[in-house]
């Protein structure tokens, strides 16, 4: 019982570190327009996204800030994606045949980036949703930090199947260092940078050492920085392209800032059902672990172990009729339900019922992670968007 108790304490400590803060986007001022705002080119890679694309383009028409151009790159769609793009005012680019060594999304983004004429590029996945204030919030963050901006959108849950993404979303946030405490030195540097910006002096760039990658659904980057890292051509074969882009930025000493979305920047993932959800998460899990820093892996390990241990030992104590132990584990279970509720409300609209039954969601996560790991080790392919993607060993 002492060992289990120590495990719980370590897990809660890891949770406090991984999910210490939830950095959100500040609301932009609609009056901050004109010459102060760089020309914004929005690039949307789309493959069979007729439903999502119609919603996103409708959102972009309602923005409070001006958009220089919207480019939709049709990546070999077999549905009405191209027709919807042109009907709703986007500039349509039909992707050329994908060269050897490229993955589809990176190839589509590269073509969109080359065709864009704006000084600021915003890459959006088709399933992203934006309130009228969404673009303004992204521009505000870019102007305030002077960095590449990437956002993990708020996950809108609309079916029980989609609730299975809970632990995937939590680990997306935690393992990438998004919620880590900001060090005193970094706070001081950011305050100095704000003063320098107000006085129009050179800004000293800083970055968090454990934030490795970006979040693929929303990436705002200046054309200069995009070209400096070689665009998507530099990560053409990377399955987790957002993590790879973060590595390229770090290698060039170009800092980036990560944020959580809210109802102004959200998405609905894998609306196609269980099969699509399994394929999507299988594609990313094992490849993402390989790029995660050791410290973050250790913290995530302690976190998951503690979260899993509470229901596991609760059941064992009930079977063994160890009522004191069962009571203690029931209390630990309740603590984890509260802690997961604290985290989940910032990352998605997960229901309280789904969190109460979190052992089922955790089991699903572990099975998908194991599936992804086996496919990676054996070099077996994953099917995504009707394409075969082979996970590198």
């Amino acid at each position: 019982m002492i060992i289990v108790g120590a495990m719980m304490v370590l897990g809660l400590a890891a949770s406090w570190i991984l999910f210490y803060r939830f950095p959100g986007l500040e609301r932009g001022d609609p009056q901050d327009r004109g010459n102060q705002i760089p020309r914004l080119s929005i690039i949307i890679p789309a493959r069979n996204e007729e439903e999502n694309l119609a919603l996103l383009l409708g959102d972009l028409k309602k923005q409070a800030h001006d958009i220089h151009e919207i480019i939709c790159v049709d990546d070999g769609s077999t549905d009405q994606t191209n027709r919807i793009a042109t009907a709703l005012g986007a500039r349509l680019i039909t992707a050329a045949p994908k060269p050897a060594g490229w993955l589809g999304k990176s190839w589509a983004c590269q073509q969109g980036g080359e065709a864009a004429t704006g000084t600021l590029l915003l890459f959006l996945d088709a399933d992203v949703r934006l309130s009228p204030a969404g673009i303004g919030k992204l521009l505000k963050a870019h102007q305030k930090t002077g960095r590449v901006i990437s956002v993990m959108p708020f996950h809108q849950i609309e079916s029980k199947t989609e609730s299975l993404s809970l632990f995937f979303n939590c680990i997306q946030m935690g393992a990438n260092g998004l919620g880590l405490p900001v060090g005193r030195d970094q706070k001081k540097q950011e305050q100095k940078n704000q003063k320098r910006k107000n006085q129009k002096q050179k800004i000293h760039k800083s970055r968090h050492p454990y934030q490795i990658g970006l979040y693929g659904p929303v990436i705002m980057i200046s054309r200069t920085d995009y070209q400096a890292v070689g665009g998507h051509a530099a990560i053409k074969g990377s399955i987790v392209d957002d993590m790879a882009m973060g590595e390229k930025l770090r290698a060039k000493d170009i800092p980036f800032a990560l944020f959580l979305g809210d109802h102004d920047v959200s998405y609905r993932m894998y609306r196609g059902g269980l099969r699509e959800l399994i394929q999507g998460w299988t594609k990313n899990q094992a490849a993402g672990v390989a790029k995660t820093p050791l410290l973050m892996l250790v913290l995530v390990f302690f976190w998951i172990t503690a979260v899993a241990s509470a229901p596991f030992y609760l059941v064992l104590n009930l079977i063994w009729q160890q009522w004191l132990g069962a009571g203690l584990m029931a209390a630990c279970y309740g603590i984890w339900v509260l802690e997961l509720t604290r985290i989940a409300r910032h990352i998605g609209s997960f229901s309280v019922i789904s969190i109460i039954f979190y052992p089922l969601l955790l089991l699903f996560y572990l099975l998908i992670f194991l599936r992804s790991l086996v496919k990676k080790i054996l070099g077996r392919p994953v099917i995504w968007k009707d394409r075969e993607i082979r996970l590198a060993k």
Side-chain angles (χ1 to χ4, degrees):
M1 186 60 68
I2 294 177
I3 295 177
V4 177
M7 189 183 305
M8 292 297 167
V9 171
L10 286 173
L12 285 170
S15 188
W16 181 83
I17 296 171
L18 289 170
F19 306 103
Y20 178 79
R21 64 192 185 99
F22 301 90
L25 294 163
E26 295 181 18
R27 186 168 294 275
D29 186 352
Q31 295 180 353
D32 291 339
R33 304 174 71 168
N35 296 329
Q36 295 181 349
I37 303 297
R39 292 193 305 172
L40 177 64
S41 293
I42 296 178
I43 299 150
I44 307 169
R47 178 176 173 83
N48 294 334
E49 294 282 6
E50 58 182 7
E51 186 174 357
N52 285 325
L53 185 60
L55 296 172
L56 175 56
L57 292 177
D59 290 344
L60 292 175
K61 286 186 175 182
K62 302 173 185 176
Q63 295 303 302
H65 283 75
D66 293 333
I67 299 171
H68 172 61
E69 63 182 347
I70 301 172
I71 298 172
C72 179
V73 184
D74 181 12
D75 182 22
S77 298
T78 56
D79 62 2
Q80 297 299 310
T81 291
N82 56 359
R83 184 187 64 79
I84 289 172
T86 54
L88 295 180
R91 175 185 170 193
L92 178 66
I93 295 177
T94 301
K98 181 168 62 69
W102 283 81
L103 292 181
K105 181 180 176 181
S106 293
W107 176 235
C109 288
Q110 179 69 22
Q111 291 177 91
E114 291 175 350
T117 58
T119 56
L120 187 61
L121 310 179
L122 174 58
F123 293 92
L124 291 178
D125 280 2
D127 58 1
V128 170
R129 299 300 310 276
L130 299 167
S131 79
I135 294 296
K137 282 192 167 187
L138 295 171
L139 289 170
K140 177 78 171 182
H142 183 265
Q143 287 182 311
K144 184 174 181 179
T145 65
R147 304 181 184 188
V148 176
I149 300 299
S150 189
V151 176
M152 177 179 164
F154 186 84
H155 192 171
Q156 296 288 359
I157 304 298
E158 298 188 21
S159 73
K160 293 179 181 178
T161 299
E162 293 167 33
S163 295
L164 292 169
S165 291
L166 173 63
F167 282 94
F168 298 95
N169 287 156
C170 289
I171 292 173
Q172 262 191 328
M173 176 186 173
N176 201 21
L178 174 56
L180 293 176
V182 175
R184 182 176 300 176
D185 292 340
Q186 188 174 352
K187 285 183 178 178
K188 289 182 178 179
Q189 185 63 60
E190 290 177 352
Q191 291 172 356
K192 290 179 181 179
N193 284 344
Q194 187 61 40
K195 290 181 180 179
R196 289 190 176 100
K197 180 180 178 181
N198 294 337
Q199 299 171 3
K200 298 184 179 180
Q201 297 178 8
K202 182 179 180 181
I203 294 176
H204 293 169
K205 297 180 178 180
S206 62
R207 63 190 181 190
H208 202 296
Y210 294 107
Q211 290 182 344
I212 299 301
L214 307 180
Y215 291 106
V218 182
I219 298 174
M220 178 175 279
I221 183 171
S222 70
R223 175 179 294 281
T224 301
D225 287 342
Y226 185 68
Q227 292 175 342
V229 297
H232 280 80
I235 57 169
K236 61 183 181 181
S238 298
I239 294 173
V240 282
D241 55 304
D242 44 7
M243 297 289 285
M245 181 63 79
E247 289 180 334
K248 295 299 181 182
L249 290 168
R250 291 174 68 88
K252 293 291 185 179
D253 200 30
I254 300 173
F256 52 86
L258 304 179
F259 296 90
L260 284 174
D262 49 25
H263 294 284
D264 290 318
V265 183
S266 63
Y267 59 8
R268 182 185 175 192
M269 299 182 73
Y270 310 132
R271 65 169 66 229
L274 182 61
R275 181 179 180 184
E276 182 180 305
L277 186 145
I278 291 173
Q279 290 176 344
W281 287 123
T282 299
K283 173 173 64 73
N284 295 327
Q285 290 307 296
V289 168
K291 295 181 178 295
T292 303
L294 179 60
L295 175 61
M296 306 308 297
L297 287 177
V298 171
L299 289 172
V300 170
F301 172 79
F302 280 125
W303 182 72
I304 288 182
T305 301
V307 172
S309 294
F312 178 75
Y313 285 105
L314 172 59
V315 171
L316 284 184
N317 278 282
L318 289 174
I319 293 174
W320 296 336
Q321 298 184 0
Q322 300 290 328
W323 306 120
L324 177 60
L328 291 174
M329 287 299 102
C332 290
Y333 187 93
I335 290 171
W336 277 116
V337 168
L338 293 175
E339 176 64 0
L340 289 172
T341 301
R342 179 185 76 90
I343 298 167
R345 67 188 180 89
H346 293 282
I347 62 177
S349 57
F350 296 93
S351 68
V352 175
I353 296 298
S354 65
I355 296 174
I356 290 174
F357 290 98
Y358 80 77
L360 298 177
L361 308 186
L362 180 57
L363 178 62
F364 178 79
Y365 168 79
L366 294 173
L367 290 174
I368 295 301
F369 177 79
L370 180 61
R371 182 174 188 259
S372 180
L373 186 61
V374 169
K375 285 182 175 289
K376 182 178 176 63
I377 293 173
L378 299 179
R380 300 293 298 275
V382 173
I383 304 300
W384 179 244
K385 297 285 185 180
D386 300 320
R387 284 176 171 157
E388 188 176 275
I389 299 175
R390 195 167 297 274
L391 304 180
K393 295 183 180 180

